Amino acid sequence: PIKTFIMNGEVVVGVGNIYANEALFMAGIHPSTPAGKVSKKNLSRLVEAIKQVLEKALLAGGTTLRDFRKSDGNPGYFAQELHVYGREGLACLRCQTPISLIKQTQRATYFCSQCQPC
């Protein structure tokens, strides 16, 4: 699956579970899509989405969900900008479809079935 592929540190560095979910949402790609089946156009969108998500997360100081703290002891504020991660059953901020949750390699995967069809 494309989500597992982009979380592989030998393929892309820095894309953890939260950022993978958010980048796939931003690019409109379903997380279960086989990596080899993603079109070049969609891969280009995904590359840009990963860059944007990581940049926004860095500017926000990271993502505090429970006990994460930055080196200065303050929380990261990117959690306030999450579109799909941790939002199972809540309305998609883009189309109002309920956010879905599946497990992939023992990790929670959140997505909008309407906004991420491919």
Side-chain angles (χ1 to χ4, degrees):
I2 189 65
K3 182 185 170 221
T4 304
F5 182 74
I6 65 172
M7 287 180 61
N8 179 338
E10 294 180 10
V11 177
V12 183
V13 176
V15 180
N17 193 41
I18 294 170
Y19 304 135
N21 282 278
E22 294 299 310
L24 288 165
F25 174 76
M26 187 181 286
I29 299 171
H30 193 284
S32 296
T33 303
K37 298 288 185 184
V38 179
S39 70
K40 286 184 180 185
K41 178 182 174 183
N42 283 344
L43 281 176
S44 292
R45 281 201 334 241
L46 181 56
V47 167
E48 288 307 310
I50 289 170
K51 290 177 184 177
Q52 288 179 26
V53 166
L54 291 176
E55 183 176 1
K56 284 181 180 181
L58 285 170
L59 291 172
T63 308
T64 297
L65 296 178
R66 288 182 220 101
D67 59 359
F68 169 81
R69 294 280 188 249
K70 300 184 306 184
S71 60
D72 64 6
N74 291 316
Y77 294 102
F78 188 66
Q80 297 170 2
E81 299 183 39
L82 298 176
H83 287 87
V84 290
Y85 188 85
R87 300 190 72 246
E88 177 190 14
L90 298 176
C92 173
L93 299 174
R94 194 182 291 161
C95 75
Q96 304 307 307
T97 299
I99 299 297
S100 298
L101 169 67
I102 59 173
K103 293 282 185 181
Q104 290 181 303
T105 61
Q106 314 309 13
R107 304 300 297 267
T109 299
Y110 299 90
F111 65 96
C112 173
S113 60
Q114 182 69 33
C115 295
Q116 297 172 261
C118 58

